Amino acid sequence: MKLYKQSWASPLQDPVTAESRIFFSVWIDEDHVKTNELFYNIHALKLRKLKGYAIESRKFAADFRAAFKAHEQSWPNVGVDFGPLTLIQGTVKTDLTNLNAEILTLSYEFLKIAHLVDATLLRYKKG
């Protein structure tokens, strides 16, 4: 599952597949079904190419992560020690019968911090 805003992607492109985009995703893969691990992250792809902004990916990631620090305790097993493409990433142990509820919980938590993406982008807006 992916959550995003149209404004977080290259204009006139589908935000799911746009060359430059930011999105939150939640997934489970075959290798981790047995361990009941649900993954989540926030990706920031090719931000240098996002029209209307002058973004250096590493600076953007550092700025976002600094703002995220105040919310980190709400995110289980979260890490921020990644390259600039993965702003945050973590895992949640879940019973597969409770998968929908866990996805909703993570989604609501993301909605609480989505403003951090907007605020960070605003710092890099041209003009």
Side-chain angles (χ1 to χ4, degrees):
M1 179 197 69
K2 292 182 182 181
L3 295 176
Y4 55 85
K5 286 186 177 180
Q6 183 76 36
S7 61
W8 297 349
S10 296
L12 306 176
Q13 293 184 10
D14 181 344
V16 174
T17 59
E19 179 180 26
S20 181
R21 65 188 188 270
I22 299 170
F23 60 91
F24 172 72
S25 60
V26 179
W27 75 97
I28 191 164
D29 62 35
E30 267 185 53
D31 296 336
H32 295 91
V33 169
K34 293 175 187 158
T35 59
N36 295 332
E37 286 180 292
L38 182 65
F39 292 84
Y40 65 86
N41 69 17
I42 300 175
H43 258 34
L45 304 177
K46 297 186 180 181
L47 296 185
R48 289 180 188 266
K49 296 184 177 188
L50 189 59
K51 291 188 191 300
Y53 297 89
I55 299 175
E56 292 180 40
S57 296
R58 290 193 187 283
K59 287 183 181 180
F60 181 92
D63 289 346
F64 175 85
R65 291 170 181 153
F68 175 75
K69 194 82 171 150
H71 304 272
E72 197 169 355
Q73 73 283 351
S74 298
W75 292 85
N77 305 310
V78 72
V80 295
D81 297 328
F82 302 96
L85 299 180
T86 303
L87 300 177
I88 69 167
Q89 184 165 306
T91 61
V92 176
K93 289 280 194 179
T94 185
D95 180 349
L96 294 180
T97 61
N98 196 30
L99 192 59
N100 289 342
E102 199 63 61
I103 291 171
L104 279 174
T105 298
L106 288 169
S107 299
Y108 286 134
E109 286 304 317
F110 174 69
L111 292 175
K112 291 178 188 176
I113 66 163
H115 70 279
L116 299 177
V117 174
D118 291 322
T120 307
L121 278 172
L122 189 58
R123 296 177 70 176
Y124 294 90
K125 189 150 182 78
K126 290 181 183 176

